[in-house]
Amino acid sequence: MKRSLKAIPLLLVVMMFAVLASACGNNSGGSGSKVDVGIVLPTKDEPRWVQDEQRFTDALKDTKYSSEILFSQGSSAKEKENVEALIAKDIKVLIICPQDGDAAAAAAEAAKKAGIQVISYDRLITNTDAVNYYVSFDSIAVGKAQAQYLVDHAKGSGQPLYLYAGAASDNNAFLFFQGAWSVLQPKIADGTFTIANSSEAVALKDTAELTREQESKIISQVTTNWDPNEAKNKAQTHLTAAAADQKGDVVILAPNDGTARSIADVFASDTAITSFVVSGQDAEKASVQYIIDGKQSMTVFKDVRNLVKDSISMAVSILDGKTPETTGINNNGKLDVPTKQTDVQVVDKDNVKAALVDSGYYEAKEFTGL
Ligand code: BGC
């Protein structure tokens, strides 16, 4: 009798501790604890997504809600597992950047079934109605800016144009290419550029506006799959096959920084290439250094801080029972998804310091020769 009387208060204390611990916001979302906002990013292998992780961690310090960030490491199966693990932690909002837009539909549907609101982050989850919001950059503007840079730095006429694209499983790859094509096609038609490495693009060179199927044909032929190694191999194959008149001064549409650096390295090592202009995007540190060193021509700076801020305020609005602010819609094949879109900025050697260092995005000491 005496023993059990003593045991009760002790048990109560233990229980109170457990309740307190789960009620306290826990930003790291340690295993077993409840989490308010689950964040799933595609891979740690690309600096772009490590940037996003860092910016999320910085921004989340100031919210009262708890969160947990998981990486899918390039696998849709792992992505689904991550989402299931977060559902088990009782998340109310899922912020997810899909590895593969179509494949992620299953994960989004599982979340929807559990009553979770799904925010598609940077890349759109496609062909499902289980997406509540989309937060992204203006991806068509990204492609336009890359192409416009090539046009603005064109030399003479009939200049060889090498085209590269992102992964066909990523809806953004289509938007980037759509934007780029809208600027490049008139310049192919007027003879400024000659397509050097894509028979599919040559076959469509008179078509100003491509259908998704037409875009798909070109993208499948010149895809890098967002993989710098694949980009490198493709560039090598293209230069090996290229005739003399497809060398000299050339321009290259490279879809992002990771692929731009490897494509640039291949073109730089070919003695028959006299000069090249190459695009990029993401303002990755390594590419910022390439731009300072004159090895990559430009990048499109997508200020991840804004994207993170927008998606967190969207999540907080949802958690607070309010309707998040959106600026437009994006059709994902099944649904017009309310969207919050953010602008982008062109960066080259001339404004690299002002745009990326003086703005506080990076520190000067991270680079040499600024
Ligand atoms: C993103 C880019 C990124 C690419 C490869 C795209 O969806 O918008 O910023 O470079 O994926 O990860």
Side-chain angles (χ1 to χ4, degrees):
M1 188 66 174
K2 251 185 172 180
R3 238 177 108 87
S4 60
L5 269 179
K6 251 183 147 182
I8 290 165
L10 183 68
L11 191 71
L12 269 177
V13 170
V14 170
M15 277 167 66
M16 275 168 67
F17 249 98
V19 169
L20 266 177
S22 69
C24 284
N26 175 2
N27 271 342
S28 68
S31 73
S33 60
K34 285 197 169 196
V35 174
D36 299 312
V37 183
I39 300 164
V40 178
L41 295 173
T43 177
K44 271 198 179 195
D45 292 343
E46 290 175 41
R48 160 68 216 267
W49 306 113
V50 180
Q51 271 193 55
D52 293 62
E53 180 193 28
Q54 184 57 51
R55 303 299 183 185
F56 265 116
T57 309
D58 293 347
L60 283 162
K61 280 189 202 124
D62 305 327
T63 67
K64 63 178 175 187
Y65 294 110
S66 61
S67 59
E68 180 166 347
I69 307 177
L70 298 175
F71 278 89
S72 310
Q73 289 313 103
S75 151
S76 296
K78 176 84 184 145
E79 180 178 80
K80 182 99 193 301
E81 264 172 43
N82 285 342
V83 170
E84 275 155 9
L86 292 166
I87 294 174
K89 291 188 177 184
D90 223 12
I91 55 164
K92 300 286 175 285
V93 181
L94 172 67
I95 299 175
I96 173 170
C97 179
Q99 172 56 36
D100 174 311
D102 275 346
E109 280 153 22
K112 188 187 174 187
K113 229 185 218 160
I116 295 160
Q117 299 263 312
V118 178
I119 302 175
S120 205
Y121 178 84
D122 194 285
R123 299 175 178 170
L124 189 57
I125 300 177
T126 37
N127 296 312
T128 174
D129 61 7
V131 187
N132 299 90
Y133 298 99
Y134 181 36
V135 179
S136 195
F137 293 101
D138 184 345
S139 295
I140 293 180
V142 171
K144 281 188 181 168
Q146 293 173 328
Q148 192 59 49
Y149 198 90
L150 305 186
V151 171
D152 292 344
H153 295 81
K155 285 185 187 169
S157 67
Q159 226 191 327
L161 163 69
Y162 288 80
L163 298 170
Y164 295 94
S169 58
D170 177 1
N171 186 59
N172 283 348
F174 287 82
L175 301 178
F176 300 144
F177 197 82
Q178 183 189 333
W181 187 258
S182 71
V183 174
L184 293 174
Q185 191 275 335
K187 293 291 163 186
I188 297 162
D190 77 6
T192 307
F193 295 138
T194 317
I195 301 162
N197 68 331
S198 168
S199 55
E200 296 288 356
V202 170
L204 289 161
K205 70 179 171 41
D206 297 321
T207 310
E209 266 184 50
L210 302 174
T211 62
R212 183 122 177 155
E213 290 66 39
Q214 289 170 328
E215 263 195 279
S216 185
K217 283 187 178 168
I218 305 176
I219 292 175
S220 312
Q221 194 173 41
V222 298
T223 184
T224 59
N225 272 319
W226 294 131
D227 175 357
N229 261 320
E230 192 165 336
K232 179 180 164 202
N233 293 338
K234 275 219 160 120
Q236 273 164 348
T237 308
H238 292 153
L239 285 183
T240 306
D245 64 355
Q246 291 173 325
K247 296 203 174 176
D249 298 321
V250 307
V251 297
I252 311 159
L253 178 75
N256 74 346
D257 283 350
T259 57
R261 293 193 301 278
S262 56
I263 294 169
D265 289 347
V266 172
F267 277 74
S269 67
D270 187 322
T271 51
I273 299 289
T274 345
S275 76
F276 63 88
V277 180
V278 62
S279 62
Q281 77 166 297
D282 292 335
E284 286 183 4
K285 274 184 215 167
S287 279
V288 172
Q289 189 61 57
Y290 259 50
I291 290 171
I292 296 167
D293 296 342
K295 287 156 57 174
Q296 180 179 324
S297 316
M298 63 89 79
T299 189
V300 180
F301 172 40
K302 311 204 305 191
D303 192 332
V304 171
R305 291 172 302 188
N306 292 334
L307 205 60
V308 161
K309 203 168 73 205
D310 284 349
S311 44
I312 292 177
S313 33
M314 202 172 249
V316 168
S317 292
I318 294 169
L319 287 162
D320 289 347
K322 297 183 189 136
T323 306
E325 184 200 317
T326 51
T327 50
I329 48 158
N330 259 272
N331 192 281
N332 79 340
K334 194 121 189 213
L335 187 76
D336 282 336
V337 186
T339 300
K340 177 92 185 2
Q341 197 166 278
T342 295
D343 289 340
V344 297
Q345 185 188 357
V346 170
V347 172
D348 70 359
K349 210 170 183 165
D350 293 341
N351 68 342
V352 64
K353 188 170 170 293
L356 296 175
V357 177
D358 299 346
S359 69
Y361 197 75
Y362 289 132
E363 288 182 63
K365 64 168 192 251
E366 298 176 274
F367 307 102
T368 55
L370 245 192

